[in-house]
């Protein structure tokens, strides 16, 4: 495969992306958005997924985006808008007519938002899809950062794998908004599916870090709008890339069908 590191897609904010391409013709381009609760993470942590998708015939671009405390909602989504428009005007780099988006955790939230806005097929692994209602139902939970996990050096598949942690979940979600509770509803994806979104692959574990409520609500909305989707609810506590190997074959079939 061919790899081009640190392509600048946003000069104003010095944002870069890594491009992975197969040696032969590509099936299409996949935007792979890393997770990290909007306060940590890096494109390098998704090299494993990018290389797997390239081996299956896709080109993959993995972007960095602005993180807290340097920027807050909706800055990461604005960055994905910038990335998308950069892709659409960079035809010399890749075929931009066939695009899908894959994301894990916070990246899964952003993938769904791109699917809603641009009508793209998406794969969301434990996406943060229930924000407003979940926070309203958990007012008694005291938000607390998690100092026990090594976010910097651990693999993504090793982070948040032990099940519910409502205090930390509330901390990083509210941290994304820098205290602006008026944005909670605006940032809850299933509350603004106004146009025709692209088909969606939505995965979650039943007893994991991210609540299942977001996937279940999104499934209702997609059903009401006749939008095709795959809902994969897995047993156990594995989060996002923690169950990637399990869902990868089904997700790959989904991408092959819709991209």
């Amino acid at each position: 495969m061919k790899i081009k590191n640190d392509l600048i897609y946003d000069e104003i904010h010095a944002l870069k992306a890594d491009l992975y391409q197969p040696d032969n013709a590509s099936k299409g381009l996949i935007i792979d958005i890393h997770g990290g609760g909007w306060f940590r993470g890096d494109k390098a942590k998704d090299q494993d997924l990018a290389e797997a998708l390239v081996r299956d015939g896709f080109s993959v671009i993995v972007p960095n985006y602005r993180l807290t405390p340097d920027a807050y909602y909706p800055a990461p989504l604005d960055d994905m808008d910038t990335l998308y428009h950069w892709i659409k005007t960079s035809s010399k780099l890749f075929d931009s007519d066939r695009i899908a988006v894959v994301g894990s955790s916070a990246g899964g939230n952003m993938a769904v938002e791109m699917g809603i806005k641009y009508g793209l097929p998406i794969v969301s692994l434990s996406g943060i899809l229930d924000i407003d209602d979940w926070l309203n139902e958990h007012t008694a939970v005291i938000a607390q950062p998690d100092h026990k996990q090594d976010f910097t050096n651990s693999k993504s598949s090793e982070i948040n794998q032990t099940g519910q942690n409502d205090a930390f979940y509330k901390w990083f979600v509210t941290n994304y908004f820098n205290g602006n509770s008026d944005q909670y509803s605006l940032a809850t994806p299933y509350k603004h599916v106004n146009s025709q979104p692209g088909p969606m692959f939505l995965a979650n574990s039943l007893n994991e870090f991210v609540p299942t409520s977001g996937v279940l609500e999104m499934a209702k909305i997609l059903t009401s709008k006749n939008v095709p989707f795959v809902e994969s609810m897995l047993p156990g506590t594995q989060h996002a890339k923690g169950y990637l190997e399990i869902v990868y074959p089904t997700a790959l079939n989904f991408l092959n069908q819709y991209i």
Side-chain angles (χ1 to χ4, degrees):
M1 69 181 70
K2 297 170 286 188
I3 302 174
K4 298 177 182 178
N5 292 315
D6 295 330
L7 297 172
I8 297 176
Y9 74 88
D10 183 344
E11 293 185 0
I12 294 175
H13 299 107
L15 293 173
K16 300 176 181 179
D18 295 337
L19 176 63
Y20 301 77
Q21 295 173 299
D23 292 327
N24 300 318
S26 172
K27 295 178 181 178
L29 177 68
I30 294 176
I31 300 169
D32 173 14
I33 309 175
H34 72 77
W38 299 290
F39 74 96
R40 55 181 164 79
D42 184 83
K43 56 187 173 64
K45 284 203 170 187
D46 267 23
Q47 180 176 349
D48 52 352
L49 176 54
E51 290 183 349
L53 289 166
V54 170
R55 287 192 293 270
D56 284 309
F58 296 99
S59 295
V60 183
I61 189 159
V62 188
N64 274 342
Y65 49 89
R66 286 174 287 171
L67 302 172
T68 67
D70 296 325
Y72 296 91
Y73 172 87
L77 298 177
D78 293 341
D79 296 339
M80 293 305 96
D81 289 340
T82 301
L83 175 72
Y84 182 73
H85 292 299
W86 176 77
I87 288 170
K88 297 298 285 185
T89 57
S90 300
S91 58
K92 291 183 179 180
L93 282 175
F94 30 62
D95 175 6
S96 63
D97 293 329
R98 295 173 295 162
I99 301 175
V101 190
V102 172
S104 304
S105 198
N109 165 280
M110 296 162 69
V112 169
E113 293 284 16
M114 292 190 76
I116 292 171
K117 187 167 189 177
Y118 297 110
L120 302 172
I122 69 96
V123 171
S124 172
L125 307 180
S126 303
I128 315 302
L129 307 184
D130 189 354
I131 295 171
D132 187 33
D133 292 341
W134 189 91
L135 290 173
N136 285 333
E137 293 168 4
H138 292 80
T139 56
V141 174
I142 299 174
Q144 296 282 348
D146 189 338
H147 299 297
K148 296 179 181 179
Q149 299 189 71
D150 182 0
F151 297 118
T152 302
N153 299 308
S154 297
K155 296 179 180 179
S156 296
S157 60
E158 298 172 352
I159 297 172
N160 298 325
Q161 300 299 319
T162 57
Q164 288 182 300
N165 185 344
D166 286 351
F168 177 51
Y169 184 80
K170 187 173 185 177
W171 178 84
F172 89 76
V173 170
T174 54
N175 176 67
Y176 183 36
F177 302 97
N178 197 27
N180 190 351
S181 59
D182 291 340
Q183 295 176 322
Y184 294 167
S185 181
L186 292 173
T188 301
Y190 61 75
K191 292 197 171 185
H192 57 258
V193 185
N194 299 319
S195 58
Q196 190 75 2
M200 298 190 180
F201 181 99
L202 305 170
N204 233 87
S205 290
L206 289 166
N207 297 293
E208 66 147 290
F209 176 62
V210 172
T212 60
S213 52
V215 170
L216 298 175
E217 288 299 322
M218 181 61 76
K220 292 178 185 177
I221 299 295
L222 297 178
T223 299
S224 71
K225 290 183 173 292
N226 294 312
V227 176
F229 68 92
V230 175
E231 180 185 287
S232 181
M233 289 292 188
L234 304 162
T237 64
Q238 289 177 297
H239 170 65
K241 290 181 73 177
Y243 56 72
L244 176 61
E245 289 187 8
I246 299 172
V247 301
Y248 185 82
T250 311
L252 180 62
N253 288 338
F254 174 88
L255 291 169
N256 283 327
Q257 180 177 0
Y258 289 109
I259 195 168

